[in-house]
Amino acid sequence: MSNKPIFVATHPRACSTAFERVFMTQRDTLKCVHEPFGDAFYYGSERLSSRYEDNLTAREDSGFTQSTYRTILDRFQREASEGKRLLIKDMAYYLFPPGASPASIAPSLGRVKRGVGTTEAVINGTTNGTNKAPYPYDTDAEPNNPTVIPRDTLGNFHFTFLIRHPRSSIPSYYRCCVPPLDKVTGFYDFMPSEAGYDELRRLFDYLRSIGQVGPETAGENRNEGSASNGVDLPNGVQSSNGVHSSNGVHSSNGVHSSNGVEVCVIDADDLLDNPAGIVEAFCKSTGIEFTPDMLEWNTEADQQQAEEAFSKWPGFHDDAMNSCGLEPRQHKKKFKSIKDEDAEWIEKYGEKGAKLIRQTVDANIEDYEYLKQFAIKV
């Protein structure tokens, strides 16, 4: 069983902060780190996002202009020195150049190119040597690695994945980026590139292709001898442990692949329908001891911890902040018809907003459904 820091990779508005609160109750054994890579992605000298590119004041006011991918990884080392296992919850797209641009390694983690046959180590996150936006970096890429994090560094984490249907997540995210909530969040434009499904799927596929996760899949009700939900690795890629995922044997008895990391995908709707069952399955897959009281956080210490952790992203976590636990919802999610859904979005956000939401939803359904095939079932 892996005892590496757990990395819950997700996309915006996936109920991930409520999920994180489950593990924040385990303060004696776990140290939760809340969305750290956004500091470098949006604000620091290695920033990949254009959201604040023309707003130096906003970047400076964030307090994260000195953040690089290296400083964030260094923080993990400091946090782990307390002797607790880390659980990091973050957006997968923070590790990727936007727009499916080719990735090269973040300067603070790699070596800057200085002409043919020469390189220079990077210490302070110097990027392209100009005053323009930092990306593209003057650094080398790693073959097949779609992120700005070296493969060896990715290997330090036990990756899991959390998803939610775009018909729920996209309108929720849009709401955070338009009046009146935008004045609270500081996100004044809805950017479809921040939907996050494409990057989550590419991270998932990459980690499977190099054998870092899988081929076994977490959860009950798996048929022995079945393929990974019938889904092969991209283009027939063979994992680094010599096993094709299409021939992997699933296990529900705690037996793991050679690297100890099962494919572990959680769908938010399943979590909301059956919190205890899904959390217990997640714990079993990641080596965390499950107790039913993990699903409640109603003490003053719980609230103080949440306020400190979530304060840097105001407006995004109000529901999770004001919650006191996870209970099964009374009725399973039933989507409205497309017509009724569009009418609701038009009423809330106008014709233009509704059209952009629908376009973004439609653009991400395929990636969601692909990942959904791997979701834990209990």
Side-chain angles (χ1 to χ4, degrees), residues 231-249:
V231 182
D232 293 333
L233 287 167
N235 302 319
V237 174
Q238 188 178 32
S239 69
S240 62
N241 60 14
V243 180
H244 286 283
S245 70
S246 57
N247 294 324
V249 178

Side-chain angles (χ1 to χ4, degrees), residues 99-285:
S101 298
S104 62
I105 300 303
S108 62
L109 303 177
R111 301 179 71 85
V112 174
K113 293 181 288 187
R114 295 294 184 225
V116 177
T118 62
T119 60
E120 181 178 328
V122 177
I123 303 299
N124 296 317
T126 302
T127 51
N128 52 29
T130 74
N131 293 321
K132 66 179 182 179
Y135 200 83
Y137 305 141
D138 287 338
T139 56
D140 292 320
E142 285 188 344
N144 302 316
N145 183 351
T147 79
V148 300
I149 308 297
R151 170 177 171 170
D152 288 349
T153 302
L154 293 173
N156 293 329
F157 300 99
H158 180 134
F159 277 93
T160 63
F161 306 86
L162 176 60
I163 58 174
R164 188 185 186 193
H165 201 291
R167 291 172 71 177
S168 296
S169 67
I170 300 300
S172 178
Y173 193 56
Y174 185 89
R175 174 176 168 268
C176 294
C177 302
V178 297
L181 195 53
D182 59 352
K183 288 183 172 58
V184 180
T185 63
F187 279 43
Y188 291 100
D189 300 289
F190 174 74
M191 301 173 68
S193 64
E194 293 176 342
Y197 290 87
D198 168 74
E199 292 84 359
L200 192 60
R201 176 176 177 171
R202 286 193 286 140
L203 176 64
F204 177 82
D205 278 343
Y206 175 65
L207 295 175
R208 290 177 68 224
S209 74
I210 62 175
Q212 186 169 333
V213 298
E216 288 82 14
T217 305
E220 302 292 341
N221 301 324
R222 304 296 185 187
N223 295 321
E224 290 191 7
S226 66
S228 296
N229 292 338
V231 182
D232 293 333
L233 287 167
N235 302 319
V237 174
Q238 188 178 32
S239 69
S240 62
N241 60 14
V243 180
H244 286 283
S245 70
S246 57
N247 294 324
V249 178
H250 296 303
S251 172
S252 60
N253 59 7
V255 177
H256 299 270
S257 61
S258 59
N259 61 11
V261 178
E262 298 174 322
V263 171
C264 183
V265 178
I266 290 176
D267 187 285
D269 281 315
D270 298 332
L271 174 67
L272 296 176
D273 290 335
N274 182 8
I278 294 297
V279 170
E280 184 173 12
F282 178 89
C283 289
K284 181 179 180 181
S285 182

